[in-house]
Amino acid sequence: LKQADDAPEMISAKVAECPKREGKRPAPPPSIIAAKTQLVAFNPRGRSGKSDDGTLAWNLSAELDGAHNLSVDWRQDGKMETLLIEEVAAPEKPKP
């Protein structure tokens, strides 16, 4: 993107395809609970993550020149598919 998109008049929504579950969701093991309570160092060059059930994953990267990229994948029809790729170019440097 060279500039921000115009705000839409209406926002559409879609939901990732979640796996079928029988009964109540089991509690996560203590090691998972402990890991989620620990702070993770922030890497300003990039971050990534995924939902607990693995149906949504994202990746954000930032370059030293100010360019940055965001990609989001989600589960649809039983497989992971790319939902979004946003690439923002580095700002132009002022001319001397």
Side-chain angles (χ1 to χ4, degrees), residues 12 15 20 26 33 39 47 49 53 55 62-63 71-72 74 77 80 86 88:
S12 64
V15 178
K20 293 189 185 261
I33 295 170
L39 292 177
R47 286 201 99 155
D53 63 4
T55 58
E63 302 301 325
S71 64
V72 180
W74 66 339
D77 299 323
M80 294 301 282
E86 292 284 339
V88 178

PDB file of all heavy atoms in Angstrom, residues 12 15 20 26 33 39 47 49 53 55 62-63 71-72 74 77 80 86 88:
ATOM      1  N   SER A  12     -17.269  -6.364   6.646  1.00  0.00           N
ATOM      2  CA  SER A  12     -17.730  -7.742   6.533  1.00  0.00           C
ATOM      3  C   SER A  12     -16.935  -8.610   7.501  1.00  0.00           C
ATOM      4  O   SER A  12     -15.824  -8.263   7.891  1.00  0.00           O
ATOM      5  CB  SER A  12     -17.569  -8.249   5.105  1.00  0.00           C
ATOM      6  OG  SER A  12     -16.203  -8.273   4.758  1.00  0.00           O
ATOM      7  N   VAL A  15     -15.423 -16.194   9.464  1.00  0.00           N
ATOM      8  CA  VAL A  15     -14.965 -16.980  10.603  1.00  0.00           C
ATOM      9  C   VAL A  15     -14.148 -18.164  10.107  1.00  0.00           C
ATOM     10  O   VAL A  15     -14.540 -18.828   9.153  1.00  0.00           O
ATOM     11  CB  VAL A  15     -16.174 -17.479  11.438  1.00  0.00           C
ATOM     12  CG1 VAL A  15     -15.722 -18.342  12.588  1.00  0.00           C
ATOM     13  CG2 VAL A  15     -16.999 -16.301  11.941  1.00  0.00           C
ATOM     14  N   LYS A  20     -14.323 -29.823  14.778  1.00  0.00           N
ATOM     15  CA  LYS A  20     -15.474 -30.244  15.580  1.00  0.00           C
ATOM     16  C   LYS A  20     -14.976 -30.805  16.899  1.00  0.00           C
ATOM     17  O   LYS A  20     -13.967 -31.488  16.964  1.00  0.00           O
ATOM     18  CB  LYS A  20     -16.286 -31.292  14.832  1.00  0.00           C
ATOM     19  CG  LYS A  20     -16.948 -30.738  13.601  1.00  0.00           C
ATOM     20  CD  LYS A  20     -17.922 -31.741  13.019  1.00  0.00           C
ATOM     21  CE  LYS A  20     -18.474 -31.205  11.725  1.00  0.00           C
ATOM     22  NZ  LYS A  20     -19.730 -30.603  11.802  1.00  0.00           N
ATOM     23  N   PRO A  26     -11.105 -29.708  26.757  1.00  0.00           N
ATOM     24  CA  PRO A  26     -10.263 -30.069  27.915  1.00  0.00           C
ATOM     25  C   PRO A  26      -9.370 -28.892  28.322  1.00  0.00           C
ATOM     26  O   PRO A  26      -9.004 -28.059  27.502  1.00  0.00           O
ATOM     27  CB  PRO A  26      -9.427 -31.235  27.396  1.00  0.00           C
ATOM     28  CG  PRO A  26      -9.432 -31.087  25.916  1.00  0.00           C
ATOM     29  CD  PRO A  26     -10.731 -30.422  25.552  1.00  0.00           C
ATOM     30  N   ILE A  33      -0.223 -23.318  30.293  1.00  0.00           N
ATOM     31  CA  ILE A  33      -0.689 -22.193  31.121  1.00  0.00           C
ATOM     32  C   ILE A  33       0.504 -21.376  31.604  1.00  0.00           C
ATOM     33  O   ILE A  33       0.501 -20.150  31.538  1.00  0.00           O
ATOM     34  CB  ILE A  33      -1.529 -22.702  32.312  1.00  0.00           C
ATOM     35  CG1 ILE A  33      -2.815 -23.351  31.785  1.00  0.00           C
ATOM     36  CG2 ILE A  33      -1.845 -21.572  33.283  1.00  0.00           C
ATOM     37  CD1 ILE A  33      -3.611 -24.089  32.831  1.00  0.00           C
ATOM     38  N   LEU A  39       6.145 -13.293  29.980  1.00  0.00           N
ATOM     39  CA  LEU A  39       6.270 -12.269  28.946  1.00  0.00           C
ATOM     40  C   LEU A  39       7.295 -12.703  27.902  1.00  0.00           C
ATOM     41  O   LEU A  39       8.327 -13.270  28.230  1.00  0.00           O
ATOM     42  CB  LEU A  39       6.700 -10.943  29.562  1.00  0.00           C
ATOM     43  CG  LEU A  39       5.675 -10.271  30.468  1.00  0.00           C
ATOM     44  CD1 LEU A  39       6.287  -9.002  31.068  1.00  0.00           C
ATOM     45  CD2 LEU A  39       4.416  -9.933  29.708  1.00  0.00           C
ATOM     46  N   ARG A  47       6.891 -10.304  14.305  1.00  0.00           N
ATOM     47  CA  ARG A  47       6.168 -11.128  15.267  1.00  0.00           C
ATOM     48  C   ARG A  47       5.286 -12.089  14.496  1.00  0.00           C
ATOM     49  O   ARG A  47       4.864 -11.800  13.388  1.00  0.00           O
ATOM     50  CB  ARG A  47       5.276 -10.277  16.156  1.00  0.00           C
ATOM     51  CG  ARG A  47       6.065  -9.500  17.188  1.00  0.00           C
ATOM     52  CD  ARG A  47       5.176  -9.119  18.288  1.00  0.00           C
ATOM     53  NE  ARG A  47       5.394 -10.075  19.366  1.00  0.00           N
ATOM     54  CZ  ARG A  47       5.150  -9.801  20.615  1.00  0.00           C
ATOM     55  NH1 ARG A  47       4.671  -8.645  20.948  1.00  0.00           N
ATOM     56  NH2 ARG A  47       5.345 -10.691  21.547  1.00  0.00           N
ATOM     57  N   GLY A  49       2.193 -15.483  15.280  1.00  0.00           N
ATOM     58  CA  GLY A  49       1.436 -16.211  16.280  1.00  0.00           C
ATOM     59  C   GLY A  49       0.332 -17.015  15.630  1.00  0.00           C
ATOM     60  O   GLY A  49       0.152 -16.980  14.412  1.00  0.00           O
ATOM     61  N   ASP A  53      -6.316 -23.195  18.716  1.00  0.00           N
ATOM     62  CA  ASP A  53      -6.742 -24.382  17.971  1.00  0.00           C
ATOM     63  C   ASP A  53      -6.077 -24.493  16.603  1.00  0.00           C
ATOM     64  O   ASP A  53      -6.330 -25.412  15.843  1.00  0.00           O
ATOM     65  CB  ASP A  53      -8.266 -24.427  17.831  1.00  0.00           C
ATOM     66  CG  ASP A  53      -8.832 -23.269  17.025  1.00  0.00           C
ATOM     67  OD1 ASP A  53      -8.055 -22.448  16.489  1.00  0.00           O
ATOM     68  OD2 ASP A  53     -10.062 -23.179  16.939  1.00  0.00           O
ATOM     69  N   THR A  55      -6.386 -22.637  13.910  1.00  0.00           N
ATOM     70  CA  THR A  55      -7.179 -22.296  12.728  1.00  0.00           C
ATOM     71  C   THR A  55      -6.854 -20.910  12.175  1.00  0.00           C
ATOM     72  O   THR A  55      -7.342 -20.543  11.120  1.00  0.00           O
ATOM     73  CB  THR A  55      -8.686 -22.366  13.027  1.00  0.00           C
ATOM     74  OG1 THR A  55      -8.991 -21.472  14.106  1.00  0.00           O
ATOM     75  CG2 THR A  55      -9.101 -23.774  13.412  1.00  0.00           C
ATOM     76  N   ALA A  62       8.822  -6.129   9.900  1.00  0.00           N
ATOM     77  CA  ALA A  62       9.142  -4.726   9.664  1.00  0.00           C
ATOM     78  C   ALA A  62      10.603  -4.617   9.256  1.00  0.00           C
ATOM     79  O   ALA A  62      11.469  -5.242   9.860  1.00  0.00           O
ATOM     80  CB  ALA A  62       8.890  -3.912  10.928  1.00  0.00           C
ATOM     81  N   GLU A  63      10.857  -3.859   8.224  1.00  0.00           N
ATOM     82  CA  GLU A  63      12.227  -3.659   7.736  1.00  0.00           C
ATOM     83  C   GLU A  63      12.810  -2.390   8.351  1.00  0.00           C
ATOM     84  O   GLU A  63      12.070  -1.510   8.802  1.00  0.00           O
ATOM     85  CB  GLU A  63      12.234  -3.564   6.207  1.00  0.00           C
ATOM     86  CG  GLU A  63      11.647  -4.786   5.521  1.00  0.00           C
ATOM     87  CD  GLU A  63      12.375  -6.071   5.858  1.00  0.00           C
ATOM     88  OE1 GLU A  63      13.616  -6.034   6.040  1.00  0.00           O
ATOM     89  OE2 GLU A  63      11.716  -7.112   5.950  1.00  0.00           O
ATOM     90  N   SER A  71       0.749 -10.872   7.042  1.00  0.00           N
ATOM     91  CA  SER A  71       0.042 -11.956   6.369  1.00  0.00           C
ATOM     92  C   SER A  71      -0.771 -12.723   7.404  1.00  0.00           C
ATOM     93  O   SER A  71      -0.341 -12.883   8.545  1.00  0.00           O
ATOM     94  CB  SER A  71       1.004 -12.890   5.633  1.00  0.00           C
ATOM     95  OG  SER A  71       1.845 -13.535   6.546  1.00  0.00           O
ATOM     96  N   VAL A  72      -1.958 -13.159   6.987  1.00  0.00           N
ATOM     97  CA  VAL A  72      -2.858 -13.905   7.861  1.00  0.00           C
ATOM     98  C   VAL A  72      -3.339 -15.133   7.097  1.00  0.00           C
ATOM     99  O   VAL A  72      -3.786 -15.013   5.954  1.00  0.00           O
ATOM    100  CB  VAL A  72      -4.066 -13.044   8.294  1.00  0.00           C
ATOM    101  CG1 VAL A  72      -4.998 -13.832   9.196  1.00  0.00           C
ATOM    102  CG2 VAL A  72      -3.610 -11.766   8.985  1.00  0.00           C
ATOM    103  N   TRP A  74      -5.799 -18.800   7.467  1.00  0.00           N
ATOM    104  CA  TRP A  74      -6.862 -19.401   8.257  1.00  0.00           C
ATOM    105  C   TRP A  74      -7.291 -20.720   7.649  1.00  0.00           C
ATOM    106  O   TRP A  74      -7.019 -20.996   6.497  1.00  0.00           O
ATOM    107  CB  TRP A  74      -8.033 -18.464   8.419  1.00  0.00           C
ATOM    108  CG  TRP A  74      -8.791 -18.119   7.150  1.00  0.00           C
ATOM    109  CD1 TRP A  74      -8.349 -18.220   5.864  1.00  0.00           C
ATOM    110  CD2 TRP A  74     -10.109 -17.624   7.065  1.00  0.00           C
ATOM    111  NE1 TRP A  74      -9.319 -17.810   4.989  1.00  0.00           N
ATOM    112  CE2 TRP A  74     -10.419 -17.435   5.703  1.00  0.00           C
ATOM    113  CE3 TRP A  74     -11.077 -17.305   8.002  1.00  0.00           C
ATOM    114  CZ2 TRP A  74     -11.645 -16.958   5.267  1.00  0.00           C
ATOM    115  CZ3 TRP A  74     -12.289 -16.819   7.544  1.00  0.00           C
ATOM    116  CH2 TRP A  74     -12.559 -16.650   6.212  1.00  0.00           C
ATOM    117  N   ASP A  77     -12.181 -25.179   4.452  1.00  0.00           N
ATOM    118  CA  ASP A  77     -12.319 -26.449   3.725  1.00  0.00           C
ATOM    119  C   ASP A  77     -11.243 -27.454   4.119  1.00  0.00           C
ATOM    120  O   ASP A  77     -10.700 -28.170   3.282  1.00  0.00           O
ATOM    121  CB  ASP A  77     -12.309 -26.220   2.212  1.00  0.00           C
ATOM    122  CG  ASP A  77     -13.464 -25.342   1.751  1.00  0.00           C
ATOM    123  OD1 ASP A  77     -14.563 -25.479   2.324  1.00  0.00           O
ATOM    124  OD2 ASP A  77     -13.265 -24.530   0.843  1.00  0.00           O
ATOM    125  N   MET A  80      -5.212 -24.919   5.436  1.00  0.00           N
ATOM    126  CA  MET A  80      -4.845 -23.528   5.691  1.00  0.00           C
ATOM    127  C   MET A  80      -4.741 -22.778   4.372  1.00  0.00           C
ATOM    128  O   MET A  80      -4.149 -23.278   3.413  1.00  0.00           O
ATOM    129  CB  MET A  80      -3.520 -23.448   6.444  1.00  0.00           C
ATOM    130  CG  MET A  80      -3.567 -24.011   7.856  1.00  0.00           C
ATOM    131  SD  MET A  80      -4.768 -23.202   8.937  1.00  0.00           S
ATOM    132  CE  MET A  80      -3.900 -21.696   9.355  1.00  0.00           C
ATOM    133  N   GLU A  86      -0.822  -7.874   3.360  1.00  0.00           N
ATOM    134  CA  GLU A  86      -0.718  -6.414   3.256  1.00  0.00           C
ATOM    135  C   GLU A  86       0.761  -6.057   3.231  1.00  0.00           C
ATOM    136  O   GLU A  86       1.508  -6.450   4.126  1.00  0.00           O
ATOM    137  CB  GLU A  86      -1.382  -5.712   4.439  1.00  0.00           C
ATOM    138  CG  GLU A  86      -2.881  -5.839   4.488  1.00  0.00           C
ATOM    139  CD  GLU A  86      -3.595  -4.942   3.497  1.00  0.00           C
ATOM    140  OE1 GLU A  86      -2.999  -3.945   3.040  1.00  0.00           O
ATOM    141  OE2 GLU A  86      -4.751  -5.242   3.181  1.00  0.00           O
ATOM    142  N   VAL A  88       3.300  -2.787   2.965  1.00  0.00           N
ATOM    143  CA  VAL A  88       3.391  -1.327   3.019  1.00  0.00           C
ATOM    144  C   VAL A  88       4.828  -0.938   2.700  1.00  0.00           C
ATOM    145  O   VAL A  88       5.764  -1.384   3.366  1.00  0.00           O
ATOM    146  CB  VAL A  88       2.976  -0.785   4.397  1.00  0.00           C
ATOM    147  CG1 VAL A  88       3.116   0.722   4.450  1.00  0.00           C
ATOM    148  CG2 VAL A  88       1.548  -1.209   4.716  1.00  0.00           C
TER     149      VAL A  88
END
